Amino acid sequence: MCIIAVVIGMAIFLTVGANKKSERSTGYTMIKDEKLKDDVKLPYTNLTSYIATNDFIYVAVCEPGSASIANQIVKIDRTSGAYKSIFHSNLDKAATQGLKNSGDWIIWVDGDDLGGSTKFYAFNEKTNKTLSFGTTSDTVYTDFPEISGDLVVWAEHEQVTKQTKLMTYDLTTQKRKTIRTVSKDKWKVSDYTIRDGVIAYIDKSSEKMMLHVQDTKKKTNKKYPITAKNPDWLTFIDEHTIVYVDNLKQGQFDKNKLMTYSMKDKKESALFADQKTVEVDSLSGFKNDAILTEVNNALHVFAVENGVVTEQPFTQKNNWPLDSVDISYWNHEFYIFENDVDAHIYNLTIDTEL
């Protein structure tokens, strides 16, 4: 999970006409969506993140010629292909990114290319209104937010007090809460995930790492000791089971373990246990109570069967080269992302089959 510096900032919103062309276009982004009659060619580059709902696609992109990494959120109609910008950063060198969605809400992060001047934003598809939240001072670092339903969760790391605070924000009531504070070390909360109001996170504040599972509706907090050295990419596979990557060596992505923890049985186990280490390149939800992961340059699907995480049969209709594309799965659809950074050409394919 990336860390971004946060200072007080401001944002303006710029709406452009559908299919308005850029006079400075030197590259483009191509959207290939199975729901569209024709592909949509956008006069934007530097696609940093993307999500889709039933009716729209949202991409964080930049107009060619800008000094920004990405500086706006573009909304694309999945029926007509018409598109417009619903957010434009006011920063000279912006890095708009981190798109996620749940229900009617779309969230993202806007900041400069050095990780400063950062703010969180949420857009509601029903009301077409945008709100900002999560603004802190320039002495606080924050992680990218996660969302489930109307609830957003993220961690804030305070440089002066050396505290980490796990925060939530209810997008409907617009109320912010601190649900956990860890003293003395700003990196004590290493990763977190949320599902149906239940937040799971790893706490490093004791000698032994602890998995916390906090139910915000039932007001309960359960703790489970785990053996991971550097856990990351925490993901619910079902309501009782967590999957995560244990990074055994800092900065070496090919020396990892893919781990599971059953809160029902209080047992930890490694997937691919016959291999000492594996290279894990992605991890995302897959349909109902399953995950899709790329391990050792191959795609795998795992689900829980009779309390055991078990690999599922998986077929592909296309032979995508995994070493040159990024593949993920959300909202019952595959996202296949290709990019040619030198040519400023970005392709995003969305399909219900891979």
Side-chain angles (χ1 to χ4, degrees), residues 17-297:
N19 299 335
K20 184 176 180 180
K21 295 182 178 180
S22 170
E23 296 178 356
R24 297 177 294 173
S25 181
T26 57
Y28 62 85
T29 294
M30 186 72 75
I31 306 295
K32 303 174 181 180
D33 183 2
E34 69 161 354
K35 291 186 177 181
L36 285 166
K37 181 180 179 181
D38 300 306
D39 295 343
V40 175
K41 187 176 181 180
L42 303 175
Y44 307 101
T45 63
N46 294 13
L47 178 62
T48 59
S49 61
Y50 44 84
I51 55 96
T53 62
N54 289 333
D55 301 316
F56 300 97
I57 302 166
Y58 296 83
V59 292
V61 288
C62 191
E63 64 266 24
S66 170
S68 295
I69 296 173
N71 63 3
Q72 57 191 299
I73 304 297
V74 173
K75 177 182 178 182
I76 306 151
D77 190 300
R78 299 187 70 173
T79 301
S80 67
Y83 59 87
K84 64 179 180 180
S85 176
I86 62 168
F87 170 85
H88 197 296
S89 176
N90 70 332
L91 299 170
D92 292 334
K93 295 182 178 180
T96 308
Q97 57 190 307
L99 276 164
K100 294 183 176 72
N101 71 307
S102 178
D104 299 323
W105 292 102
I106 317 299
I107 64 170
W108 66 88
V109 175
D110 183 48
D112 63 30
D113 61 348
L114 298 177
S117 303
T118 305
K119 270 187 151 181
F120 300 158
Y121 290 90
F123 172 81
N124 189 287
E125 271 197 333
K126 282 189 175 179
T127 65
N128 284 315
K129 292 183 178 180
T130 303
L131 61 88
S132 64
F133 65 99
T135 300
T136 57
S137 71
D138 58 358
T139 61
V140 175
Y141 290 91
T142 183
D143 298 331
F144 281 103
E146 300 290 337
I147 183 172
S148 177
D150 299 338
L151 194 65
V152 183
V153 61
W154 71 95
E156 293 182 353
H157 311 288
E158 298 181 356
Q159 295 186 76
V160 177
T161 64
K162 304 300 182 184
Q163 289 183 332
T164 288
K165 293 181 178 180
L166 198 62
M167 312 296 300
T168 62
Y169 187 86
D170 190 310
L171 294 168
T172 300
T173 63
Q174 298 186 25
K175 290 184 178 180
R176 168 185 168 122
K177 291 182 180 179
T178 301
I179 65 169
R180 171 75 172 165
T181 299
V182 179
S183 302
K184 304 298 183 183
D185 189 329
K186 64 183 179 181
W187 308 115
K188 289 297 187 185
V189 178
S190 62
D191 201 7
Y192 44 87
T193 184
I194 182 170
R195 171 179 168 145
D196 298 330
V198 179
I199 301 169
Y201 60 95
I202 304 292
D203 185 351
K204 299 180 181 179
S205 58
S206 61
E207 290 185 6
K208 198 164 201 177
M209 291 214 186
M210 196 71 66
L211 171 66
H212 286 247
V213 181
Q214 186 162 341
D215 192 321
T216 61
K217 297 176 182 177
K218 296 180 180 178
K219 311 297 182 184
T220 60
N221 186 7
K222 297 181 180 179
K223 303 176 184 179
Y224 308 91
I226 61 173
T227 61
K229 294 182 177 180
N230 188 21
D232 203 358
W233 295 1
L234 225 61
T235 305
F236 278 104
I237 190 169
D238 69 5
E239 61 180 323
H240 303 295
T241 312
I242 296 287
V243 180
Y244 58 92
V245 177
D246 186 8
N247 299 301
L248 300 182
K249 291 192 176 181
Q250 192 75 20
Q252 295 189 35
F253 302 107
D254 60 334
K255 296 186 182 302
N256 303 320
K257 287 186 176 181
L258 188 60
M259 306 295 297
T260 70
Y261 189 91
S262 171
M263 294 171 281
K264 183 181 290 185
D265 300 330
K266 298 183 180 180
K267 290 183 179 179
E268 186 178 33
S269 59
L271 301 175
F272 306 98
D274 59 329
Q275 302 178 52
K276 188 175 180 180
T277 61
V278 294
E279 180 177 355
V280 186
D281 290 318
S282 67
L283 179 62
S284 61
F286 184 82
K287 295 185 178 178
N288 296 323
D289 292 339
I291 52 109
L292 173 75
T293 182
E294 183 182 339
V295 176
N296 297 337
N297 203 33

